[in-house]
């Protein structure tokens, strides 16, 4: 793996790690289905405690998968996949480029 691809792979690791957890996967799926939700609404759809949901949301927020907007006294969470998606697209593009170069060298 070349340095550019390795660098983009390493940049994606926090996203991969965040999405390894089934509870975080469930939160992402719920937000994908329902749109913007409060912690209370997410807790109502989960067997987890409010503090556990808040912890998972914070983890997802740190890696750029969700964002929060305060409206009045409520925090609303929504998917915010632009940064994570761009990181993953860069990784895939770098891998494809590297594989393409390897295939060209094999035919030479």
């Amino acid at each position: 793996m070349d340095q550019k691809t390795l660098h983009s792979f390493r940049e994606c690791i926090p996203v991969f790690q965040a999405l390894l957890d089934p509870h975080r996967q469930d939160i992402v799926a719920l937000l994908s289905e329902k749109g913007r939700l409060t912690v209370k609404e997410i807790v109502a759809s989960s067997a987890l405690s409010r503090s556990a949901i808040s912890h998972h949301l914070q983890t997802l927020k740190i890696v750029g998968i969700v964002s929060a907007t305060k409206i009045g006294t409520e925090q609303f969470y929504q998917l915010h996949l632009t940064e994570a998606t761009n990181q993953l697209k860069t990784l895939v593009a770098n891998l494809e480029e590297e594989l393409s170069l390897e295939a060209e060298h094999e035919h030479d």
Side-chain angles (χ1 to χ4, degrees), residues 2 11 19 32 40 46 55 58 60-61 89 91-92 95 106 108:
D2 69 18
E11 282 189 336
L19 293 173
S32 174
K40 184 178 178 179
S46 174
H55 168 76
Q58 184 62 26
L60 292 168
K61 190 175 170 186
K89 284 179 181 178
L91 174 59
V92 169
L95 287 168
E106 287 177 6
D108 289 343

Side-chain angles (χ1 to χ4, degrees), residues 30-61:
L30 181 66
L31 291 172
S32 174
E33 180 183 326
K34 303 285 184 179
R36 192 168 62 177
L37 296 172
T38 64
V39 173
K40 184 178 178 179
E41 291 169 323
I42 297 168
V43 169
S45 297
S46 174
L48 297 177
S49 68
R50 183 181 182 93
S51 63
I53 292 292
S54 292
H55 168 76
H56 288 303
L57 286 167
Q58 184 62 26
T59 300
L60 292 168
K61 190 175 170 186

Side-chain angles (χ1 to χ4, degrees), residues 1-9 11 87-101:
M1 186 176 289
D2 69 18
Q3 290 301 310
K4 180 174 73 171
T5 304
L6 184 60
H7 176 74
S8 62
F9 182 78
E11 282 189 336
Q87 288 175 330
L88 294 169
K89 284 179 181 178
T90 299
L91 174 59
V92 169
N94 289 341
L95 287 168
E96 287 175 339
E97 179 182 331
E98 191 171 328
L99 290 172
S100 176
L101 289 173

